[in-house]
Amino acid sequence: MNLPSRQQLEEPEYLLADAMRLIREAVLITTAQLNPPGPEIVYVNEGFCRMTGYAREEVVGVTPRILQGPKTDRVQLDRLRRQLSLGEPFDGEILNYRKDGSEYVIEWYIVPLRNRAGEITHWIASQRDVTERKAVEEQLRYQILHDPLTGLPNRVLFIERLEHALSLANRNPRLNAVLFVDLDDFKVVNDSLGHEAGDDLLVQVAERLRASLRSEDTVARIGGDEFVVLLEDVLGASYVTDVAERIIERLRETFVAGGRELTITCSIGIVLAASSREPARELLRKADIAMYEAKRKGKTHFARELLRKADIAMSGAKGRGRARYQMFDPGMNARTLKRLRLKSALRRALVREEFVVHYQPKVSLKTGNILGLEALVRWEHPEYGLVPPSEFISVAEDTGLIVDIGRWVLKETCVQVRLWQDRFPSQSPLQANVNLSARQFHQPDLAGDIAEVLEETNLDPQNLELEITETVVMEDARATLLILGALKSLGVRLAIDDFGTGYSSLAYLKRFSVDTLKIDRLFVAGLGESAEDEVIVAAMIGLARDLNLTAIPEGVETFEQLRRLRELRCDVAQGFYFSKPLPTEEVGALLRRNLLGGGSWGSQNLS
């Protein structure tokens, strides 16, 4: 090895050159000229050559622009020129290009070299390749800001983009819109087909949402089955509602998940924003409120236009079921606050046992005897008095409290009806009718809960009839077959409630093994007044008879309605004409008069 002489070791130029050669980082020195054509490279070390792929002779005498390309950050370059023009050091990151055209990211540190007079004669720059570190950082940032299942932006990134859109609107007036998209009854998919099928469905929903939007719009998944959309710089509200309708229609198209064909609907809340006067999170909250309003209104059933005896699949209004959108209006804030208070009060009501059951009789149109009692829950609020179900059932459904309330109603009803059976014995024991909510119906342990209650209360399963609405039954007909089969194995009776307001098919109706069709009051109200309603009710009664089922029209309120039902050879009915729902103590008196008194409802009532 040739060691340097003492004289060489004492020469600064030799030391500097050797140090530059040994440094692994890229180093280059340029002239001081900043104005066009700009500085020229006068020196590069071996680290520079390794990093860029250029030989020393290829770059000496040319400008550093040889390293720039189409993606090089021009804003960063402008900042660099400003710093150097002031004679100040510069540090920052920038994307450069190697000789072979590949991209790499460097950390730059540039300082001026001055002569003894203090004049800048050269610039010296060190460069460190941070490409791998930046890739890791970008990957981490992506993971932090995106949903791992769908690859969509998450809540954090959505808020960032919304805030940016609002700030642009402040500088240049423009209209933005936020759409809150929630899948209706998605829990049913997870419960019936498993979470893997549910995840598969969510991925497909994400793809359809992306396909429904412009490239400049943002769709994000912010949790569960909730998605949000940001529409930037839109022309007006009509464009936004068009997008909402397009999303609804795209999501209505059949999906395949878990090896099964699925049809789903969604509810959409919309809020418009022209500036950043309101925080992004507040706009998201308002869109969420509007979505719940859309979901609430979507629960209203739509009457079908026609019911034929050969096929009860009926055509309905556009946007049937829950699928709908709703614009936010300020009045929704007050309603939302009321719902929040109601949720808290409901939780306390369960603990304080503030719920009671009222009962409405089902009456034989042949004998006038009470055949059964439908249990209807009421809330005895300590401050507001008796709260009707329309005020709290939807809130109980949303919170999941309906499961505990429903279980309590089932047991309370079975206990009470069993007591009445002992007190008023009859050849046809009194029947208990209990409604199952959508959430209850899809509980995995539903059949076990009911079996346990029947055993505890000693009620004959044949004396319990469970009522499920037609809409719930048809949400997933195949899963419904399994659930109804499990319930039927207990020996209980099954009824489809609100019949005529859903969209049953005759094929499935035959396979559901139900015992009773309860005809919705919507059609009964028109008896004697609407020829169309008479045709529909007659078809329903005839259909039930042909399928060996019991048809029970609900909402009978007038003698004329009763007369027409008897002419249609209907055997059982229910409604205010016979009795409104009564508290327990009044039901006892009614049963005494009816079951022990020959079942008369008056001289003309059933004649």
Side-chain angles (χ1 to χ4, degrees):
M1 177 182 296
N2 295 322
L3 297 176
S5 66
R6 180 179 297 276
Q7 181 182 359
Q8 289 176 320
L9 288 174
E10 292 174 353
E11 292 177 356
E13 292 82 1
Y14 176 85
L15 292 174
L16 179 61
D18 207 37
M20 289 294 182
R21 180 177 61 82
L22 295 174
I23 289 175
R24 295 184 60 84
E25 293 182 355
V27 176
L28 72 157
I29 301 174
T30 71
T31 61
Q33 173 67 31
L34 294 179
N35 295 324
E40 292 182 359
I41 297 174
V42 297
Y43 171 83
V44 295
N45 71 347
E46 292 179 11
F48 177 92
C49 296
R50 286 192 301 270
M51 184 182 294
T52 65
Y54 286 104
R56 182 176 289 109
E57 57 270 19
E58 291 179 296
V59 295
V60 170
V62 301
T63 74
R65 286 197 298 273
I66 194 174
L67 302 176
Q68 297 173 18
K71 292 185 182 179
T72 302
D73 189 344
R74 303 298 157 179
V75 175
Q76 187 78 310
L77 288 176
D78 289 342
R79 187 172 77 88
L80 181 151
R81 294 187 188 98
R82 286 196 302 272
Q83 292 286 104
L84 299 190
S85 66
L86 296 173
E88 297 177 355
F90 169 85
D91 66 275
E93 292 180 356
I94 199 162
L95 184 144
N96 275 347
Y97 290 79
R98 299 184 180 93
K99 180 180 178 180
D100 62 9
S102 60
E103 301 172 1
Y104 69 108
V105 181
I106 60 167
E107 280 184 346
W108 255 7
Y109 184 63
I110 305 175
V111 294
L113 295 177
R114 301 175 185 270
N115 59 21
R116 294 186 178 182
E119 300 168 334
I120 298 175
T121 61
H122 295 83
W123 297 98
I124 182 168
S126 66
Q127 299 180 348
R128 176 182 299 173
D129 189 340
V130 294
T131 307
E132 290 185 9
R133 191 194 77 194
K134 294 298 292 183
V136 171
E137 289 176 355
E138 286 299 316
Q139 181 63 26
L140 289 174
R141 175 174 169 79
Y142 182 89
Q143 292 174 356
I144 291 170
L145 297 178
H146 289 79
D147 170 48
L149 176 64
T150 64
L152 294 177
N154 61 15
R155 181 187 293 269
V156 175
L157 182 52
F158 183 83
I159 292 294
E160 281 186 12
R161 293 186 180 178
L162 178 54
E163 288 175 341
H164 178 70
L166 294 174
S167 66
L168 291 178
N170 278 343
R171 297 195 294 269
N172 181 24
R174 54 194 288 184
L175 185 64
N176 302 299
V178 176
L179 284 67
F180 200 113
V181 183
D182 181 86
L183 305 185
D184 297 324
D185 301 314
F186 175 74
K187 186 176 183 297
V188 176
V189 177
N190 278 338
D191 290 345
S192 59
L193 299 181
H195 288 277
E196 186 174 341
D199 288 349
D200 187 10
L201 178 61
L202 290 172
V203 171
Q204 294 180 59
V205 167
E207 292 171 353
R208 291 194 189 180
L209 287 173
R210 270 191 291 243
S212 302
L213 305 173
R214 304 170 301 179
S215 59
E216 62 265 37
D217 298 327
T218 298
V219 57
R221 180 182 176 224
I222 61 173
D225 60 342
E226 295 178 334
F227 298 83
V228 284
V229 173
L230 170 60
L231 304 179
E232 296 191 50
D233 195 14
V234 296
L235 296 177
S238 61
Y239 173 80
V240 178
T241 56
D242 286 346
V243 172
E245 289 178 357
R246 183 162 66 245
I247 289 173
I248 288 172
E249 291 306 315
R250 288 297 299 271
L251 295 187
R252 270 201 182 121
E253 297 169 9
T254 303
F255 290 88
V256 177
R260 301 274 292 278
E261 289 190 354
L262 301 174
T263 302
I264 64 171
T265 59
C266 68
S267 300
I268 302 177
I270 302 171
V271 64
L272 303 178
S275 69
S276 61
R277 286 192 298 270
E278 287 185 293
R281 286 180 172 79
E282 177 65 10
L283 291 174
L284 194 59
R285 186 187 72 85
K286 288 183 175 180
D288 189 11
I289 290 172
M291 181 275 294
Y292 272 105
E293 187 73 6
K295 197 175 287 288
R296 183 185 69 82
K297 289 183 177 180
K299 289 179 181 178
T300 303
H301 299 301
F302 293 89
R304 298 304 179 237
E305 295 177 358
L306 182 63
L307 178 67
R308 299 185 183 276
K309 187 173 180 179
D311 187 353
I312 64 168
M314 293 167 283
S315 59
K318 183 179 180 182
R320 73 183 181 186
R322 293 191 184 180
R324 60 181 295 134
Y325 61 84
Q326 177 68 53
M327 283 281 190
F328 176 82
D329 73 66
M332 292 179 186
N333 267 330
R335 291 193 292 273
T336 300
L337 183 59
K338 181 181 178 181
R339 286 177 69 86
L340 288 173
R341 291 172 178 166
L342 204 55
K343 287 180 183 179
S344 299
L346 273 174
R347 291 189 176 91
R348 291 193 299 269
L350 265 174
V351 176
R352 297 174 182 175
E353 300 181 346
E354 295 173 359
F355 294 105
V356 295
V357 180
H358 285 194
Y359 301 88
Q360 187 174 40
K362 298 186 302 181
V363 178
S364 168
L365 300 189
K366 293 180 179 179
T367 66
N369 286 336
I370 295 177
L371 303 178
L373 295 162
E374 180 179 354
L376 301 165
V377 67
R378 300 291 187 267
W379 179 12
E380 286 189 328
H381 194 282
E383 182 179 351
Y384 304 120
L386 201 62
V387 181
S390 58
E391 293 288 324
F392 67 87
I393 288 296
S394 64
V395 178
E397 281 274 8
D398 291 342
T399 58
L401 290 171
I402 193 67
V403 175
D404 292 331
I405 294 172
R407 188 179 291 117
W408 177 84
V409 170
L410 175 67
K411 185 170 183 178
E412 179 74 11
T413 302
C414 290
V415 167
Q416 189 58 58
V417 169
R418 186 71 186 86
L419 290 173
W420 282 326
Q421 286 178 345
D422 291 340
R423 187 176 176 187
F424 305 107
S426 171
Q427 290 182 342
S428 299
L430 198 63
Q431 191 178 86
N433 278 62
V434 178
N435 294 278
L436 294 181
S437 72
R439 284 219 182 198
Q440 277 182 284
F441 185 67
H442 293 290
Q443 286 295 305
D445 56 348
L446 175 63
D449 279 351
I450 293 171
E452 185 177 319
V453 169
L454 289 170
E455 184 177 357
E456 289 178 2
T457 60
N458 197 30
L459 183 71
D460 187 333
Q462 277 295 306
N463 298 151
L464 173 63
E465 186 164 78
L466 301 172
E467 300 187 12
I468 309 104
T469 64
E470 185 180 14
T471 304
V472 170
V473 165
M474 290 306 300
E475 279 174 350
D476 185 343
R478 295 182 182 179
T480 294
L481 283 170
L482 298 176
I483 298 170
L484 294 182
L487 296 178
K488 201 66 179 174
S489 68
L490 301 176
V492 301
R493 293 174 58 84
L494 301 172
I496 293 184
D497 197 13
D498 299 338
F499 186 67
T501 61
Y503 45 99
S504 297
S505 72
L506 186 58
Y508 273 112
L509 189 61
K510 288 167 60 180
R511 298 172 59 191
F512 281 158
S513 300
V514 297
D515 303 281
T516 302
L517 301 181
K518 300 195 75 173
I519 301 172
D520 191 81
R521 65 185 67 244
L522 176 72
F523 305 106
V524 176
L527 288 179
E529 299 177 1
S530 167
E532 290 182 352
D533 283 345
E534 292 214 16
V535 170
I536 292 174
V537 173
M540 291 179 178
I541 293 172
L543 174 65
R545 187 183 303 114
D546 291 346
L547 293 176
N548 199 29
L549 306 176
T550 300
I552 302 181
E554 297 182 286
V556 178
E557 297 186 358
T558 68
F559 177 72
E560 180 59 23
Q561 292 167 357
L562 174 62
R563 185 184 67 80
R564 291 296 298 129
L565 289 173
R566 286 179 60 82
E567 289 176 356
L568 294 172
R569 294 191 296 150
C570 183
D571 296 329
V572 186
Q574 183 178 341
F576 280 16
Y577 182 78
F578 306 106
S579 173
K580 65 180 182 180
L582 299 172
T584 302
E585 57 275 13
E586 293 185 33
V587 173
L590 178 65
L591 291 173
R592 185 183 301 107
R593 291 195 307 270
N594 181 259
L595 296 180
L596 301 183
S600 173
W601 290 89
S603 58
Q604 67 166 359
N605 288 13
L606 299 175
S607 59

